[in-house]
Amino acid sequence: MKIKKIILMGFFMCVMTVFSAESSVTKALVKVYAAHQSYNYSAPWQYGQSFNSTATGFIIDGNKIITNAHAVINTKFLQIRKEGDSKKYEAKVKFVSEEYDLALVEVDDKDFFKGTTSLTLGNLPSIQEKVVVYGYPLGGDKLSTTQGIVSRMEHNTYTLTNERFLIGQTDAAINSGNSGGPVTNNGKVVGVAFAGIANADNIGYFIPVNILKNFLNDIKDENYDGPPRLGIQWSALESVAHRKMLGLPNDSKGVLIKKVFKNSPFEGVLQKNDVLLKLDNKWIESDGTVEFRPNEKTDFSYINQQKNFGDMLSYEIVRNKKKMTGSVKLNSKNIRYSVVTEVKIETPPSYFVYGGLVFEPLTNNYLTLLKESKGEVPPVYEKEDTYKDYDQLAILTSVLPFDVNLGYSELENVIILKINGEKYKNFKDFVQKLRKVNSEFVILETENGDEIVLDRAKVEAQKEDLMRNYNVTSEMSDDVR
C-alpha cells in the first residue's frame, strides 16, 4: 500500500511539474497583429501592397518580446495581445535582424505586463530531445501546443536573406501563425518557431536558442551589427590527387580558398589556393564542415557566427606546402561580395526619374522582386570583371512613355555603364552626373554597347507635365537628392 502511495505521489508531482512549466510558458505568450506595407519597385515614389498578418511572440527578461522579423517587417501599425486577454496593446519594433529572422518588440504601456511571466533561455537541444511548440497557427485566436522531438540540427537557408545559419528540425507541427512562438524543453526556450514546409507532413523548423542569444548579445549596446562574416569563397577539397599536389595528407582536412572579397577580415591575409585547415583551433573537414557537438557536424561558418565584432579569430593554413598560423579581428561589416548592393528589406528604394526613364541602383531587393515577377535576372554575377570599376550599378528599370522618350518605351531592366562617355562610381554619382550634363544631348550607354539618346532641352521642358501625367510625386529619392 505504501509503495502505491509513493508511486502515485511521484506521478502527481511529475504532472504538477509539467503543468507548472506549461502554465509559466502560457503566461509569457503573446499574439502579434501587424499591418504591413511593402515598397513598390515599379513605381518607387509610391508605396506598394498593404496586407495584415498575425504571428506569435513571447516575453523574456526585461519586458522584452521576441518574435520573427518577417512577422513585423515593414509594419505601419503593430499590436500585441497577451494570452488570455482580449485587449490589444500598441507596440513598436525596437530591433530587427533580417539575417536571423528575429525581432525585439516593446510595449510602452506597463499594464500590459501585469500577470505575465518571462521565459528563461535554455541550451541547444540534443537530437531526439522532446520539445513543445506554442503559438497561434493559421490565424486562430486560441493557443495551440504541439509536441515532438528534435530530428536534425544543421545549417540551412533562412527566410529573409537566404543566408545559412544553424537550424533545428522537429516533427512538431509548425504552421503559419506559429512564427515567433517559443520552442521549449522543460519550460525553457530552446528555439523560436519560424517555418514549415508546404505539403510536408510533420516537418517544422526553428531558430536554435544560440542564435537568439547571439541576437540579444549583439543589441546590448543598443545597436544591431549582425553576424560576423569571413568574406571568403572556398571549395571542397576531397580529391586525393588535388590534396597530394598541394602537399596535404589524405586525412580529409581543409578546404581550398578560391577568393578573398574586398573588406573581408582576411583581405591581405589569405590568398587564392591557400588551404584553410582550422578556425578557432577547430579542424575543418574537406567538405567544409566542422564538428560543433560530439558526432554532429555543420558548416564551418558556425565558428564565426558564434562570435561578435571585435573578437579575434585564429586560423591555420597550408600555403606552398608549408603550415602557417595567425589571427584576424572580426571587424569588417561591409564586405563587398558583388557589384549588387546588399540592402535591408526595410530600406526604401533609391530612384531617379529623368525624361521618363526610371533608374534605380542594382540591389539584392530589386533582383529578388525581379526574379519573382519575371522568373529571371540579368546575368550580373557572371560579369563581375566588366563592372570592376563600379561600386554600384545603375539600372534602367522601366520607361514612362512620353514624347521626350519616343523609341525607348519598351526598355526595361537595362544596366547603364556610361553617361556621355563617362563612367560613374555609384548610383548617387550617376544621378549627379546625369543632372550636370550641359550638352545638347544626353547619351546613355548600356552594357551591350547600345545608346539611349535624349534631347536635354526637351527633358527639362516636359518634366512637369510628365510627372503630373504619371503622378510622380518626386523626381528622385531623398538619399540621392
Side-chain angles (χ1 to χ4, degrees), residues 44-45 349-361 395-398 427 430-436 459-460 463 472 474-477 480:
W45 52 90
S350 301
Y351 73 92
F352 180 48
V353 180
Y354 186 83
L357 278 61
V358 182
F359 300 101
E360 297 182 37
I395 184 168
L396 170 60
T397 62
S398 62
F427 187 69
F430 170 83
V431 173
Q432 291 174 347
K433 281 183 166 56
L434 192 50
R435 296 181 73 192
K436 289 179 181 178
V459 170
E460 294 301 321
K463 182 170 72 173
V472 179
S474 176
E475 66 177 328
M476 70 185 79
S477 55
V480 295

PDB file of all heavy atoms in Angstrom, residues 44-45 349-361 395-398 427 430-436 459-460 463 472 474-477 480:
ATOM      1  N   PRO A  44       8.777  53.489 -57.624  1.00  0.00           N
ATOM      2  CA  PRO A  44       9.413  53.615 -56.308  1.00  0.00           C
ATOM      3  C   PRO A  44       9.028  54.863 -55.522  1.00  0.00           C
ATOM      4  O   PRO A  44       9.346  54.953 -54.342  1.00  0.00           O
ATOM      5  CB  PRO A  44      10.911  53.598 -56.635  1.00  0.00           C
ATOM      6  CG  PRO A  44      11.008  53.998 -58.067  1.00  0.00           C
ATOM      7  CD  PRO A  44       9.765  53.488 -58.722  1.00  0.00           C
ATOM      8  N   TRP A  45       8.363  55.826 -56.162  1.00  0.00           N
ATOM      9  CA  TRP A  45       7.890  57.006 -55.442  1.00  0.00           C
ATOM     10  C   TRP A  45       6.572  56.719 -54.691  1.00  0.00           C
ATOM     11  O   TRP A  45       6.074  57.558 -53.953  1.00  0.00           O
ATOM     12  CB  TRP A  45       7.682  58.172 -56.415  1.00  0.00           C
ATOM     13  CG  TRP A  45       6.832  57.807 -57.595  1.00  0.00           C
ATOM     14  CD1 TRP A  45       5.471  57.899 -57.707  1.00  0.00           C
ATOM     15  CD2 TRP A  45       7.305  57.267 -58.833  1.00  0.00           C
ATOM     16  NE1 TRP A  45       5.057  57.451 -58.934  1.00  0.00           N
ATOM     17  CE2 TRP A  45       6.158  57.062 -59.655  1.00  0.00           C
ATOM     18  CE3 TRP A  45       8.563  56.948 -59.341  1.00  0.00           C
ATOM     19  CZ2 TRP A  45       6.245  56.550 -60.937  1.00  0.00           C
ATOM     20  CZ3 TRP A  45       8.638  56.443 -60.619  1.00  0.00           C
ATOM     21  CH2 TRP A  45       7.508  56.239 -61.398  1.00  0.00           C
ATOM     22  N   PRO A 349      13.456  52.054 -51.623  1.00  0.00           N
ATOM     23  CA  PRO A 349      14.255  52.048 -52.857  1.00  0.00           C
ATOM     24  C   PRO A 349      14.729  53.444 -53.242  1.00  0.00           C
ATOM     25  O   PRO A 349      13.996  54.421 -53.119  1.00  0.00           O
ATOM     26  CB  PRO A 349      13.280  51.490 -53.905  1.00  0.00           C
ATOM     27  CG  PRO A 349      11.919  51.746 -53.350  1.00  0.00           C
ATOM     28  CD  PRO A 349      12.044  51.679 -51.871  1.00  0.00           C
ATOM     29  N   SER A 350      15.979  53.528 -53.679  1.00  0.00           N
ATOM     30  CA  SER A 350      16.501  54.762 -54.266  1.00  0.00           C
ATOM     31  C   SER A 350      16.061  54.806 -55.726  1.00  0.00           C
ATOM     32  O   SER A 350      15.931  53.759 -56.370  1.00  0.00           O
ATOM     33  CB  SER A 350      18.026  54.791 -54.184  1.00  0.00           C
ATOM     34  OG  SER A 350      18.467  54.697 -52.854  1.00  0.00           O
ATOM     35  N   TYR A 351      15.867  56.018 -56.251  1.00  0.00           N
ATOM     36  CA  TYR A 351      15.451  56.119 -57.663  1.00  0.00           C
ATOM     37  C   TYR A 351      15.711  57.521 -58.202  1.00  0.00           C
ATOM     38  O   TYR A 351      15.929  58.470 -57.453  1.00  0.00           O
ATOM     39  CB  TYR A 351      13.969  55.762 -57.817  1.00  0.00           C
ATOM     40  CG  TYR A 351      13.017  56.834 -57.298  1.00  0.00           C
ATOM     41  CD1 TYR A 351      12.530  57.837 -58.140  1.00  0.00           C
ATOM     42  CD2 TYR A 351      12.622  56.857 -55.969  1.00  0.00           C
ATOM     43  CE1 TYR A 351      11.675  58.825 -57.674  1.00  0.00           C
ATOM     44  CE2 TYR A 351      11.771  57.829 -55.483  1.00  0.00           C
ATOM     45  CZ  TYR A 351      11.301  58.817 -56.336  1.00  0.00           C
ATOM     46  OH  TYR A 351      10.464  59.813 -55.865  1.00  0.00           O
ATOM     47  N   PHE A 352      15.674  57.620 -59.522  1.00  0.00           N
ATOM     48  CA  PHE A 352      15.750  58.911 -60.214  1.00  0.00           C
ATOM     49  C   PHE A 352      14.987  58.783 -61.518  1.00  0.00           C
ATOM     50  O   PHE A 352      15.202  57.839 -62.286  1.00  0.00           O
ATOM     51  CB  PHE A 352      17.210  59.293 -60.478  1.00  0.00           C
ATOM     52  CG  PHE A 352      17.385  60.602 -61.195  1.00  0.00           C
ATOM     53  CD1 PHE A 352      16.710  61.743 -60.779  1.00  0.00           C
ATOM     54  CD2 PHE A 352      18.246  60.708 -62.281  1.00  0.00           C
ATOM     55  CE1 PHE A 352      16.879  62.951 -61.428  1.00  0.00           C
ATOM     56  CE2 PHE A 352      18.425  61.914 -62.939  1.00  0.00           C
ATOM     57  CZ  PHE A 352      17.741  63.046 -62.509  1.00  0.00           C
ATOM     58  N   VAL A 353      14.069  59.707 -61.758  1.00  0.00           N
ATOM     59  CA  VAL A 353      13.292  59.719 -62.999  1.00  0.00           C
ATOM     60  C   VAL A 353      13.822  60.858 -63.868  1.00  0.00           C
ATOM     61  O   VAL A 353      13.803  62.029 -63.470  1.00  0.00           O
ATOM     62  CB  VAL A 353      11.787  59.934 -62.724  1.00  0.00           C
ATOM     63  CG1 VAL A 353      11.012  59.935 -64.044  1.00  0.00           C
ATOM     64  CG2 VAL A 353      11.264  58.850 -61.793  1.00  0.00           C
ATOM     65  N   TYR A 354      14.302  60.513 -65.059  1.00  0.00           N
ATOM     66  CA  TYR A 354      14.864  61.506 -65.965  1.00  0.00           C
ATOM     67  C   TYR A 354      14.308  61.263 -67.371  1.00  0.00           C
ATOM     68  O   TYR A 354      14.547  60.215 -67.970  1.00  0.00           O
ATOM     69  CB  TYR A 354      16.388  61.405 -65.986  1.00  0.00           C
ATOM     70  CG  TYR A 354      17.072  62.489 -66.788  1.00  0.00           C
ATOM     71  CD1 TYR A 354      17.327  63.734 -66.224  1.00  0.00           C
ATOM     72  CD2 TYR A 354      17.444  62.272 -68.109  1.00  0.00           C
ATOM     73  CE1 TYR A 354      17.954  64.733 -66.952  1.00  0.00           C
ATOM     74  CE2 TYR A 354      18.069  63.268 -68.846  1.00  0.00           C
ATOM     75  CZ  TYR A 354      18.312  64.498 -68.270  1.00  0.00           C
ATOM     76  OH  TYR A 354      18.930  65.490 -69.000  1.00  0.00           O
ATOM     77  N   GLY A 355      13.549  62.232 -67.855  1.00  0.00           N
ATOM     78  CA  GLY A 355      12.945  62.087 -69.182  1.00  0.00           C
ATOM     79  C   GLY A 355      12.021  60.887 -69.277  1.00  0.00           C
ATOM     80  O   GLY A 355      11.866  60.295 -70.350  1.00  0.00           O
ATOM     81  N   GLY A 356      11.406  60.527 -68.173  1.00  0.00           N
ATOM     82  CA  GLY A 356      10.511  59.371 -68.146  1.00  0.00           C
ATOM     83  C   GLY A 356      11.228  58.047 -67.992  1.00  0.00           C
ATOM     84  O   GLY A 356      10.591  56.996 -67.892  1.00  0.00           O
ATOM     85  N   LEU A 357      12.561  58.065 -67.952  1.00  0.00           N
ATOM     86  CA  LEU A 357      13.337  56.856 -67.710  1.00  0.00           C
ATOM     87  C   LEU A 357      13.516  56.692 -66.193  1.00  0.00           C
ATOM     88  O   LEU A 357      13.979  57.619 -65.526  1.00  0.00           O
ATOM     89  CB  LEU A 357      14.702  56.933 -68.393  1.00  0.00           C
ATOM     90  CG  LEU A 357      14.774  56.571 -69.891  1.00  0.00           C
ATOM     91  CD1 LEU A 357      13.913  57.499 -70.737  1.00  0.00           C
ATOM     92  CD2 LEU A 357      16.221  56.614 -70.380  1.00  0.00           C
ATOM     93  N   VAL A 358      13.129  55.547 -65.682  1.00  0.00           N
ATOM     94  CA  VAL A 358      13.190  55.297 -64.246  1.00  0.00           C
ATOM     95  C   VAL A 358      14.455  54.506 -63.938  1.00  0.00           C
ATOM     96  O   VAL A 358      14.616  53.372 -64.406  1.00  0.00           O
ATOM     97  CB  VAL A 358      11.949  54.527 -63.753  1.00  0.00           C
ATOM     98  CG1 VAL A 358      12.021  54.331 -62.233  1.00  0.00           C
ATOM     99  CG2 VAL A 358      10.668  55.259 -64.143  1.00  0.00           C
ATOM    100  N   PHE A 359      15.345  55.111 -63.150  1.00  0.00           N
ATOM    101  CA  PHE A 359      16.611  54.478 -62.786  1.00  0.00           C
ATOM    102  C   PHE A 359      16.608  54.122 -61.300  1.00  0.00           C
ATOM    103  O   PHE A 359      16.102  54.877 -60.468  1.00  0.00           O
ATOM    104  CB  PHE A 359      17.783  55.415 -63.071  1.00  0.00           C
ATOM    105  CG  PHE A 359      17.917  55.818 -64.511  1.00  0.00           C
ATOM    106  CD1 PHE A 359      17.463  57.061 -64.950  1.00  0.00           C
ATOM    107  CD2 PHE A 359      18.510  54.967 -65.439  1.00  0.00           C
ATOM    108  CE1 PHE A 359      17.586  57.448 -66.278  1.00  0.00           C
ATOM    109  CE2 PHE A 359      18.633  55.339 -66.770  1.00  0.00           C
ATOM    110  CZ  PHE A 359      18.172  56.586 -67.189  1.00  0.00           C
ATOM    111  N   GLU A 360      17.210  52.988 -60.995  1.00  0.00           N
ATOM    112  CA  GLU A 360      17.394  52.563 -59.608  1.00  0.00           C
ATOM    113  C   GLU A 360      18.766  51.915 -59.487  1.00  0.00           C
ATOM    114  O   GLU A 360      19.323  51.423 -60.483  1.00  0.00           O
ATOM    115  CB  GLU A 360      16.315  51.563 -59.181  1.00  0.00           C
ATOM    116  CG  GLU A 360      14.899  52.115 -59.189  1.00  0.00           C
ATOM    117  CD  GLU A 360      13.875  51.094 -58.718  1.00  0.00           C
ATOM    118  OE1 GLU A 360      14.192  50.317 -57.790  1.00  0.00           O
ATOM    119  OE2 GLU A 360      12.763  51.068 -59.279  1.00  0.00           O
ATOM    120  N   PRO A 361      19.333  51.873 -58.284  1.00  0.00           N
ATOM    121  CA  PRO A 361      20.576  51.110 -58.102  1.00  0.00           C
ATOM    122  C   PRO A 361      20.279  49.617 -58.157  1.00  0.00           C
ATOM    123  O   PRO A 361      19.183  49.188 -57.784  1.00  0.00           O
ATOM    124  CB  PRO A 361      21.052  51.536 -56.713  1.00  0.00           C
ATOM    125  CG  PRO A 361      19.815  51.952 -55.994  1.00  0.00           C
ATOM    126  CD  PRO A 361      18.909  52.535 -57.042  1.00  0.00           C
ATOM    127  N   ILE A 395      20.546  50.865 -62.979  1.00  0.00           N
ATOM    128  CA  ILE A 395      19.768  50.072 -63.926  1.00  0.00           C
ATOM    129  C   ILE A 395      18.515  50.838 -64.337  1.00  0.00           C
ATOM    130  O   ILE A 395      17.834  51.450 -63.496  1.00  0.00           O
ATOM    131  CB  ILE A 395      19.400  48.693 -63.325  1.00  0.00           C
ATOM    132  CG1 ILE A 395      18.680  47.830 -64.362  1.00  0.00           C
ATOM    133  CG2 ILE A 395      18.607  48.821 -62.041  1.00  0.00           C
ATOM    134  CD1 ILE A 395      18.548  46.374 -63.949  1.00  0.00           C
ATOM    135  N   LEU A 396      18.258  50.870 -65.640  1.00  0.00           N
ATOM    136  CA  LEU A 396      17.026  51.448 -66.166  1.00  0.00           C
ATOM    137  C   LEU A 396      15.929  50.408 -65.956  1.00  0.00           C
ATOM    138  O   LEU A 396      15.885  49.398 -66.643  1.00  0.00           O
ATOM    139  CB  LEU A 396      17.189  51.778 -67.649  1.00  0.00           C
ATOM    140  CG  LEU A 396      15.929  52.172 -68.427  1.00  0.00           C
ATOM    141  CD1 LEU A 396      15.276  53.409 -67.841  1.00  0.00           C
ATOM    142  CD2 LEU A 396      16.263  52.395 -69.902  1.00  0.00           C
ATOM    143  N   THR A 397      15.071  50.631 -64.986  1.00  0.00           N
ATOM    144  CA  THR A 397      14.076  49.621 -64.628  1.00  0.00           C
ATOM    145  C   THR A 397      12.874  49.628 -65.559  1.00  0.00           C
ATOM    146  O   THR A 397      12.319  48.579 -65.869  1.00  0.00           O
ATOM    147  CB  THR A 397      13.594  49.824 -63.185  1.00  0.00           C
ATOM    148  OG1 THR A 397      12.951  51.101 -63.070  1.00  0.00           O
ATOM    149  CG2 THR A 397      14.763  49.758 -62.217  1.00  0.00           C
ATOM    150  N   SER A 398      12.465  50.830 -65.992  1.00  0.00           N
ATOM    151  CA  SER A 398      11.292  50.937 -66.877  1.00  0.00           C
ATOM    152  C   SER A 398      11.267  52.328 -67.496  1.00  0.00           C
ATOM    153  O   SER A 398      12.058  53.211 -67.131  1.00  0.00           O
ATOM    154  CB  SER A 398       9.997  50.696 -66.088  1.00  0.00           C
ATOM    155  OG  SER A 398       9.835  51.671 -65.073  1.00  0.00           O
ATOM    156  N   PHE A 427      25.415  54.917 -57.523  1.00  0.00           N
ATOM    157  CA  PHE A 427      24.145  55.463 -58.024  1.00  0.00           C
ATOM    158  C   PHE A 427      24.029  56.958 -57.763  1.00  0.00           C
ATOM    159  O   PHE A 427      23.535  57.702 -58.615  1.00  0.00           O
ATOM    160  CB  PHE A 427      22.964  54.723 -57.399  1.00  0.00           C
ATOM    161  CG  PHE A 427      21.639  55.110 -57.991  1.00  0.00           C
ATOM    162  CD1 PHE A 427      21.323  54.761 -59.299  1.00  0.00           C
ATOM    163  CD2 PHE A 427      20.709  55.832 -57.255  1.00  0.00           C
ATOM    164  CE1 PHE A 427      20.102  55.119 -59.867  1.00  0.00           C
ATOM    165  CE2 PHE A 427      19.489  56.194 -57.808  1.00  0.00           C
ATOM    166  CZ  PHE A 427      19.184  55.840 -59.121  1.00  0.00           C
ATOM    167  N   PHE A 430      25.977  58.613 -60.305  1.00  0.00           N
ATOM    168  CA  PHE A 430      25.246  58.508 -61.572  1.00  0.00           C
ATOM    169  C   PHE A 430      24.210  59.624 -61.693  1.00  0.00           C
ATOM    170  O   PHE A 430      24.118  60.300 -62.725  1.00  0.00           O
ATOM    171  CB  PHE A 430      24.576  57.137 -61.662  1.00  0.00           C
ATOM    172  CG  PHE A 430      23.605  56.986 -62.794  1.00  0.00           C
ATOM    173  CD1 PHE A 430      24.055  56.672 -64.073  1.00  0.00           C
ATOM    174  CD2 PHE A 430      22.244  57.158 -62.595  1.00  0.00           C
ATOM    175  CE1 PHE A 430      23.152  56.532 -65.125  1.00  0.00           C
ATOM    176  CE2 PHE A 430      21.333  57.016 -63.629  1.00  0.00           C
ATOM    177  CZ  PHE A 430      21.793  56.707 -64.911  1.00  0.00           C
ATOM    178  N   VAL A 431      23.434  59.824 -60.634  1.00  0.00           N
ATOM    179  CA  VAL A 431      22.394  60.859 -60.644  1.00  0.00           C
ATOM    180  C   VAL A 431      23.009  62.239 -60.803  1.00  0.00           C
ATOM    181  O   VAL A 431      22.540  63.062 -61.604  1.00  0.00           O
ATOM    182  CB  VAL A 431      21.543  60.779 -59.360  1.00  0.00           C
ATOM    183  CG1 VAL A 431      20.573  61.958 -59.278  1.00  0.00           C
ATOM    184  CG2 VAL A 431      20.777  59.462 -59.304  1.00  0.00           C
ATOM    185  N   GLN A 432      24.073  62.501 -60.058  1.00  0.00           N
ATOM    186  CA  GLN A 432      24.706  63.824 -60.128  1.00  0.00           C
ATOM    187  C   GLN A 432      25.279  64.097 -61.510  1.00  0.00           C
ATOM    188  O   GLN A 432      25.137  65.207 -62.046  1.00  0.00           O
ATOM    189  CB  GLN A 432      25.800  63.922 -59.060  1.00  0.00           C
ATOM    190  CG  GLN A 432      25.249  63.966 -57.642  1.00  0.00           C
ATOM    191  CD  GLN A 432      26.340  63.912 -56.586  1.00  0.00           C
ATOM    192  OE1 GLN A 432      27.504  63.608 -56.892  1.00  0.00           O
ATOM    193  NE2 GLN A 432      25.982  64.201 -55.340  1.00  0.00           N
ATOM    194  N   LYS A 433      25.915  63.107 -62.084  1.00  0.00           N
ATOM    195  CA  LYS A 433      26.488  63.298 -63.422  1.00  0.00           C
ATOM    196  C   LYS A 433      25.398  63.510 -64.465  1.00  0.00           C
ATOM    197  O   LYS A 433      25.547  64.318 -65.390  1.00  0.00           O
ATOM    198  CB  LYS A 433      27.355  62.096 -63.801  1.00  0.00           C
ATOM    199  CG  LYS A 433      28.740  62.095 -63.170  1.00  0.00           C
ATOM    200  CD  LYS A 433      29.567  60.925 -63.648  1.00  0.00           C
ATOM    201  CE  LYS A 433      31.041  61.079 -63.305  1.00  0.00           C
ATOM    202  NZ  LYS A 433      31.345  61.272 -61.915  1.00  0.00           N
ATOM    203  N   LEU A 434      24.292  62.778 -64.321  1.00  0.00           N
ATOM    204  CA  LEU A 434      23.187  62.914 -65.265  1.00  0.00           C
ATOM    205  C   LEU A 434      22.555  64.297 -65.160  1.00  0.00           C
ATOM    206  O   LEU A 434      22.210  64.919 -66.177  1.00  0.00           O
ATOM    207  CB  LEU A 434      22.137  61.827 -64.996  1.00  0.00           C
ATOM    208  CG  LEU A 434      21.043  61.604 -66.035  1.00  0.00           C
ATOM    209  CD1 LEU A 434      21.618  61.459 -67.436  1.00  0.00           C
ATOM    210  CD2 LEU A 434      20.240  60.368 -65.672  1.00  0.00           C
ATOM    211  N   ARG A 435      22.433  64.812 -63.960  1.00  0.00           N
ATOM    212  CA  ARG A 435      21.828  66.137 -63.769  1.00  0.00           C
ATOM    213  C   ARG A 435      22.751  67.266 -64.234  1.00  0.00           C
ATOM    214  O   ARG A 435      22.267  68.372 -64.549  1.00  0.00           O
ATOM    215  CB  ARG A 435      21.501  66.339 -62.283  1.00  0.00           C
ATOM    216  CG  ARG A 435      20.447  65.376 -61.745  1.00  0.00           C
ATOM    217  CD  ARG A 435      20.157  65.649 -60.287  1.00  0.00           C
ATOM    218  NE  ARG A 435      19.379  66.871 -60.125  1.00  0.00           N
ATOM    219  CZ  ARG A 435      19.169  67.474 -58.955  1.00  0.00           C
ATOM    220  NH1 ARG A 435      19.725  66.968 -57.863  1.00  0.00           N
ATOM    221  NH2 ARG A 435      18.443  68.569 -58.885  1.00  0.00           N
ATOM    222  N   LYS A 436      24.059  67.003 -64.269  1.00  0.00           N
ATOM    223  CA  LYS A 436      25.015  68.060 -64.620  1.00  0.00           C
ATOM    224  C   LYS A 436      25.348  68.106 -66.112  1.00  0.00           C
ATOM    225  O   LYS A 436      26.134  68.962 -66.545  1.00  0.00           O
ATOM    226  CB  LYS A 436      26.299  67.870 -63.816  1.00  0.00           C
ATOM    227  CG  LYS A 436      26.136  68.202 -62.334  1.00  0.00           C
ATOM    228  CD  LYS A 436      27.438  67.979 -61.583  1.00  0.00           C
ATOM    229  CE  LYS A 436      27.273  68.297 -60.103  1.00  0.00           C
ATOM    230  NZ  LYS A 436      28.533  68.045 -59.343  1.00  0.00           N
ATOM    231  N   VAL A 459      13.824  67.269 -72.187  1.00  0.00           N
ATOM    232  CA  VAL A 459      13.687  66.654 -70.866  1.00  0.00           C
ATOM    233  C   VAL A 459      13.234  67.690 -69.845  1.00  0.00           C
ATOM    234  O   VAL A 459      12.305  67.456 -69.051  1.00  0.00           O
ATOM    235  CB  VAL A 459      15.017  66.007 -70.423  1.00  0.00           C
ATOM    236  CG1 VAL A 459      14.941  65.592 -68.952  1.00  0.00           C
ATOM    237  CG2 VAL A 459      15.339  64.808 -71.292  1.00  0.00           C
ATOM    238  N   GLU A 460      13.893  68.861 -69.864  1.00  0.00           N
ATOM    239  CA  GLU A 460      13.554  69.913 -68.908  1.00  0.00           C
ATOM    240  C   GLU A 460      12.184  70.515 -69.206  1.00  0.00           C
ATOM    241  O   GLU A 460      11.396  70.782 -68.290  1.00  0.00           O
ATOM    242  CB  GLU A 460      14.625  71.008 -68.936  1.00  0.00           C
ATOM    243  CG  GLU A 460      15.985  70.553 -68.432  1.00  0.00           C
ATOM    244  CD  GLU A 460      15.924  70.053 -66.996  1.00  0.00           C
ATOM    245  OE1 GLU A 460      15.194  70.655 -66.177  1.00  0.00           O
ATOM    246  OE2 GLU A 460      16.588  69.036 -66.696  1.00  0.00           O
ATOM    247  N   LYS A 463       9.310  67.954 -68.188  1.00  0.00           N
ATOM    248  CA  LYS A 463       9.414  67.271 -66.890  1.00  0.00           C
ATOM    249  C   LYS A 463       8.141  67.393 -66.057  1.00  0.00           C
ATOM    250  O   LYS A 463       7.614  66.385 -65.554  1.00  0.00           O
ATOM    251  CB  LYS A 463      10.611  67.800 -66.099  1.00  0.00           C
ATOM    252  CG  LYS A 463      10.804  67.104 -64.760  1.00  0.00           C
ATOM    253  CD  LYS A 463      12.114  67.462 -64.103  1.00  0.00           C
ATOM    254  CE  LYS A 463      12.121  68.879 -63.578  1.00  0.00           C
ATOM    255  NZ  LYS A 463      13.348  69.177 -62.784  1.00  0.00           N
ATOM    256  N   VAL A 472       3.966  61.206 -60.488  1.00  0.00           N
ATOM    257  CA  VAL A 472       5.270  61.066 -59.857  1.00  0.00           C
ATOM    258  C   VAL A 472       5.435  62.228 -58.876  1.00  0.00           C
ATOM    259  O   VAL A 472       5.511  63.381 -59.285  1.00  0.00           O
ATOM    260  CB  VAL A 472       6.408  61.091 -60.899  1.00  0.00           C
ATOM    261  CG1 VAL A 472       7.768  60.975 -60.206  1.00  0.00           C
ATOM    262  CG2 VAL A 472       6.226  59.958 -61.897  1.00  0.00           C
ATOM    263  N   SER A 474       7.878  62.917 -56.726  1.00  0.00           N
ATOM    264  CA  SER A 474       9.220  63.489 -56.640  1.00  0.00           C
ATOM    265  C   SER A 474      10.094  62.805 -57.681  1.00  0.00           C
ATOM    266  O   SER A 474       9.996  61.595 -57.894  1.00  0.00           O
ATOM    267  CB  SER A 474       9.819  63.271 -55.247  1.00  0.00           C
ATOM    268  OG  SER A 474      11.143  63.747 -55.195  1.00  0.00           O
ATOM    269  N   GLU A 475      10.945  63.585 -58.344  1.00  0.00           N
ATOM    270  CA  GLU A 475      11.763  63.015 -59.417  1.00  0.00           C
ATOM    271  C   GLU A 475      12.888  62.122 -58.892  1.00  0.00           C
ATOM    272  O   GLU A 475      13.471  61.362 -59.643  1.00  0.00           O
ATOM    273  CB  GLU A 475      12.349  64.137 -60.291  1.00  0.00           C
ATOM    274  CG  GLU A 475      13.339  65.024 -59.551  1.00  0.00           C
ATOM    275  CD  GLU A 475      13.965  66.076 -60.458  1.00  0.00           C
ATOM    276  OE1 GLU A 475      14.133  65.793 -61.656  1.00  0.00           O
ATOM    277  OE2 GLU A 475      14.287  67.159 -59.951  1.00  0.00           O
ATOM    278  N   MET A 476      13.191  62.206 -57.586  1.00  0.00           N
ATOM    279  CA  MET A 476      14.251  61.386 -57.017  1.00  0.00           C
ATOM    280  C   MET A 476      13.998  61.115 -55.549  1.00  0.00           C
ATOM    281  O   MET A 476      13.245  61.831 -54.881  1.00  0.00           O
ATOM    282  CB  MET A 476      15.616  62.065 -57.206  1.00  0.00           C
ATOM    283  CG  MET A 476      15.816  63.314 -56.370  1.00  0.00           C
ATOM    284  SD  MET A 476      17.376  64.135 -56.738  1.00  0.00           S
ATOM    285  CE  MET A 476      16.919  64.979 -58.270  1.00  0.00           C
ATOM    286  N   SER A 477      14.615  60.064 -55.056  1.00  0.00           N
ATOM    287  CA  SER A 477      14.510  59.738 -53.637  1.00  0.00           C
ATOM    288  C   SER A 477      15.397  60.688 -52.829  1.00  0.00           C
ATOM    289  O   SER A 477      16.362  61.257 -53.350  1.00  0.00           O
ATOM    290  CB  SER A 477      14.900  58.282 -53.383  1.00  0.00           C
ATOM    291  OG  SER A 477      16.192  58.015 -53.905  1.00  0.00           O
ATOM    292  N   VAL A 480      19.427  60.514 -52.669  1.00  0.00           N
ATOM    293  CA  VAL A 480      20.311  60.919 -53.776  1.00  0.00           C
ATOM    294  C   VAL A 480      20.094  62.381 -54.168  1.00  0.00           C
ATOM    295  O   VAL A 480      20.680  62.850 -55.133  1.00  0.00           O
ATOM    296  CB  VAL A 480      20.101  60.028 -55.029  1.00  0.00           C
ATOM    297  CG1 VAL A 480      20.514  58.608 -54.729  1.00  0.00           C
ATOM    298  CG2 VAL A 480      18.653  60.087 -55.524  1.00  0.00           C
TER     299      VAL A 480
END
